[in-house]
């Protein structure tokens, strides 16, 4: 048997709140999603004014970061033409997102969940996700 | 042109909070999802202990109620063998759910969104969704 | 944070071995799959002579039992016409299986994974899954 | 009529064992999958610590190598922008993987199955797959 640690819903709400505050501060209404250690959705919000394509993007960025154990912007580099994982985009039932905004969440060295943010520029999405991570 | 009214994220959070309180009261940890007037996800939570199949069920119950303008338990009657909509289950890209827990939300006569609850018995899911509706 | 326990690959191999022995004993070549506490595939085997439709059935029976916290034959009763979960079959991206052969695996009261068996009659599949469960 | 030769489950287990030994030796916990001559999954394992995105990747790398009769890293070259198979990635119901780790398995000149490995760098995945091939 393996002993694991995973985010609770309370953790997810605290992280989402931090992301919402950052998103409001920088004026980038966003979709924000949190998955647990198993890659399963824990919570999601779409801020008023955020685009609907980003619903799926936020959920799948969180899933991707958890499932690949890496931030999505790092995967995006390896997924470029000529990169070692070219063709990675959209694998795993179309769920792998290779642009910025997904960040794994660790407690010590253990992967306990991930956050995905979508709605702004790549830089804004990543900035909001990183800000939320601090609230962990 | 059409004038529309739709739930905001603030509305969604208030409804989800009411659903969480009811779910805790009756001891049925649930997934709870809210969609807006366009059928698009506004917010979702998975309470600790709620099963992961219900993530998809809650989101799609909310979608179904909005998209069909009916509670999912009513659709379930029409979807039975011999019913007028037999075969309805899982249509629309697999998103139509025909068991209880999805309820449309109206402001006056206008459909402004829907809630989907999943995780307990059909009766519990419906009870929680109805309780949240009061918070509208 | 939540503290969880999940099957390891070693656990999965032991359970699969027990299932293979039982399947050979009763003459029902099977697909056997194990998922962890997050519903993610840990291991799968297709015994020589087992049908290929059962690859997906075994994996999704294991997923269903974990995701719904119930054996698939129990879900099958509620999913019948007139049942409280009629329409459940094939929900969650087509992954919910409502016939026998999927069984949740618990350590004490905690859900740590699930097994799915497919290839024989409903009764055979269930018998093999139950036999493997004893090896937990 | 055609006479075919295909891997048995016993072959698959021997190959997976060889891959697990190599993966442990080089410190790259992996998902390992074997498909038979029909492209259908024979066996899969996810080593403890291997990421969950790689479940699908390993199975589909094996499928791709069998289905295209080529190692996935070779396909990856042709799938680059300007390459003769640009656009190949994710075709065939999303199953074609164009990065390293999938290797066809032959007995003499006959294609009898394929292996897919995923979890490390492109180089590690390929190294593990090649090591397993020797156990054929």
């Amino acid at each position: 048997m393996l002993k694991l640690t995973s985010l609770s819903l309370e953790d997810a709400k605290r992280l989402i709140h931090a992301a919402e505050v950052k998103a409001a501060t920088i004026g980038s209404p966003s979709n924000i999603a949190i998955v647990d250690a198993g890659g399963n959705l824990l919570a999601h919000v779409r801020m008023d004014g955020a685009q609907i394509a980003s619903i799926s993007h936020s959920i799948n960025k969180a899933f991707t970061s958890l499932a690949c154990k890496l931030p999505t912007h790092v995967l995006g580099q390896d997924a470029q033409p000529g990169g070692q994982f070219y063709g990675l985009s959209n694998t795993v039932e179309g769920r792998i997102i290779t642009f910025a905004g997904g960040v794994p969440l660790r407690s010590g060295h253990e992967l306990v969940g991930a956050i995905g943010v979508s709605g702004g520029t790549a830089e804004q999405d990543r900035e909001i996700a990183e800000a939320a991570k601090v609230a962990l």
Side-chain angles (χ1 to χ4, degrees), chain A:
Chain A
M1 297 285 184
L2 303 174
K3 295 290 179 191
L4 306 172
T5 307
S6 183
L7 298 178
S8 66
L9 177 56
E10 191 187 329
D11 297 320
K13 286 182 175 176
R14 190 175 63 250
L15 289 161
I16 285 179
H17 178 72
E20 284 183 277
V21 168
K22 183 67 177 183
T25 304
I26 67 173
S28 181
S30 301
N31 280 267
I32 307 156
I34 305 284
V35 297
D36 67 12
N40 299 302
L41 189 64
L42 254 180
H44 162 270
V45 303
R46 173 161 50 98
M47 294 171 70
D48 297 338
Q51 69 242 48
I52 60 174
S54 297
I55 300 169
S56 166
H57 289 158
S58 66
I59 294 172
N60 286 336
K61 284 180 186 178
F63 172 78
T64 298
S65 290
L66 187 290
C68 296
K69 300 186 176 185
L70 285 171
T72 53
H73 67 271
V74 172
L75 286 168
Q77 295 158 7
D78 281 334
Q80 295 296 319
Q84 67 171 336
F85 298 137
Y86 175 65
L88 179 68
S89 306
N90 307 326
T91 56
V92 188
E93 318 298 321
R95 300 198 65 189
I96 299 296
I97 305 290
T98 54
F99 41 95
V103 174
L105 300 170
R106 290 190 168 81
S107 172
H109 288 295
E110 188 174 1
L111 188 62
V112 295
I115 184 168
V117 176
S118 196
T121 63
E123 197 174 343
Q124 288 173 318
D125 290 348
R126 182 178 167 187
E127 186 180 357
I128 295 165
E130 296 286 357
K133 196 175 150 181
V134 177
L136 184 57

